[in-house]
């Protein structure tokens, strides 16, 4: 967050760090907000359910990202579930410590506001594309993941090679459709899967953007 060292020490004095296996529930919808969480390694997903009971993945979070920050601020129960996708190390900060940090450190408040604005932009973008064709929607999901968790590799932007069921939930498409579109994008040399490192490399981000026009 760019905080002074002494503020970081105070803020993290009561942080507890734990490593969780894959597919472990960290938060459940309607839980009360006793802590705010920071991902130190690994991946987690934020999910909810539609009126038909179908699971919807809202976001994928990785290193350096936080979750559970809204419930302590507005003092209402959690609105989504959070589940690990891989073995994940998470630091939990007591909610009162987090609220005190926001109230006393302007930089922390600015960082939180920027995070909220970023997430709102991402939601707006995905809503605009909900009636788009399948290629546009898959391209959008890949760029969405790259924006949040992309790292520069030797040949392009690398993102986690998520199971197709997660990409299906993020895009609102059938898993078979996601698999077909990914194959098409790979044949066009826009992406490349690297199985031995469990990552997907976006070779041409501009090319993916062009598919969404």
């Amino acid at each position: 967050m760019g905080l002074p060292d002494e503020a970081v020490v105070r803020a993290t004095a009561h942080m507890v760090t734990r490593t969780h296996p894959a597919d472990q529930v960290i938060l459940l919808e309607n839980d009360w907000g006793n802590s705010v969480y920071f991902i130190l390694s690994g991946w987690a997903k934020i999910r909810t359910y539609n009126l038909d009971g179908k699971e919807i993945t809202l976001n994928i979070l990785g290193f350096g990202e936080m979750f559970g920050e809204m419930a302590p601020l507005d003092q209402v129960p959690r609105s989504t579930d959070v589940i690990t996708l891989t073995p994940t190390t998470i630091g939990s900060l007591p909610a009162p410590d987090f609220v005190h940090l926001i109230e006393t450190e302007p930089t922390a408040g600015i960082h939180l506001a920027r995070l909220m604005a970023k997430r709102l932009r991402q939601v707006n973008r995905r809503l605009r594309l909900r009636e788009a064709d399948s290629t546009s929607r898959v391209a959008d999901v890949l760029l969405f993941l790259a924006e949040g968790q992309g790292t520069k590799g030797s040949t392009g932007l690398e993102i986690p090679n998520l199971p197709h069921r997660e990409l299906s939930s993020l895009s609102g498409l059938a898993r078979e459709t996601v698999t077909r579109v990914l194959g098409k994008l790979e044949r066009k040399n826009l992406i490349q899967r690297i199985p031995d490192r469990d990552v997907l490399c976006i070779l041409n981000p501009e090319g993916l953007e062009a598919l969404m026009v």
Side-chain angles (χ1 to χ4, degrees):
M1 290 185 180
L3 298 174
D5 291 343
E6 60 271 20
V8 174
V9 172
R10 289 196 305 271
T12 59
H14 301 128
M15 179 178 282
V16 176
T17 301
R18 294 188 177 92
T19 297
H20 305 270
D23 300 317
Q24 181 167 353
V25 176
I26 306 299
L27 294 181
L28 281 173
E29 186 176 353
N30 294 321
D31 284 349
W32 283 93
N34 298 319
S35 297
V36 177
Y37 301 87
F38 298 83
I39 297 183
L40 306 178
S41 68
W43 303 94
K45 70 175 179 180
I46 300 177
R47 76 172 181 191
T48 188
Y49 294 89
N50 64 16
L51 294 177
D52 297 324
K54 180 181 178 182
E55 179 180 320
I56 300 173
T57 300
L58 299 176
N59 205 349
I60 303 292
L61 304 178
F63 171 73
E65 295 198 270
M66 75 169 74
F67 60 91
E69 73 282 352
M70 297 308 296
L73 292 174
D74 55 15
Q75 299 182 348
V76 296
R78 312 284 188 185
S79 58
T80 57
D81 302 338
V82 179
I83 301 173
T84 58
L85 289 172
T86 64
T88 304
T89 300
I90 296 174
S92 61
L93 183 68
D97 291 9
F98 177 74
V99 173
H100 179 72
L101 177 67
I102 296 299
E103 290 175 341
T104 58
E105 292 291 338
T107 303
I110 291 171
H111 179 86
L112 181 62
R114 287 173 176 167
L115 174 65
M116 296 299 101
K118 174 184 173 182
R119 290 179 177 173
L120 181 59
R121 285 196 305 272
Q122 290 171 336
V123 169
N124 287 340
R125 174 174 169 173
R126 292 173 65 192
L127 287 174
R128 288 197 303 269
L129 285 167
R130 62 183 174 179
E131 301 300 329
D133 62 76
S134 58
T135 300
S136 296
R137 289 160 72 177
V138 172
D140 174 62
V141 166
L142 297 179
L143 291 169
F144 165 74
L145 293 172
E147 180 183 356
Q149 291 301 325
T151 57
K152 289 185 178 180
S154 57
T155 57
L157 279 174
E158 296 181 355
I159 61 175
N161 188 24
L162 296 175
H164 290 187
R165 67 176 181 275
E166 301 298 345
L167 297 177
S168 168
S169 186
L170 276 167
S171 63
L173 298 167
R175 184 167 53 180
E176 296 78 9
T177 301
V178 170
T179 299
R180 175 176 54 78
V181 172
L182 288 174
K184 181 172 71 173
L185 297 179
E186 197 161 15
R187 289 191 296 274
K188 290 186 174 183
N189 293 319
L190 295 173
I191 65 172
Q192 178 183 15
R193 281 169 280 195
I194 308 175
D196 58 322
R197 293 174 49 218
D198 203 26
V199 300
L200 187 150
C201 184
I202 298 177
L203 304 174
N204 186 350
E206 294 78 12
L208 284 184
E209 285 278 5
L211 294 176
M212 297 163 52
V213 175

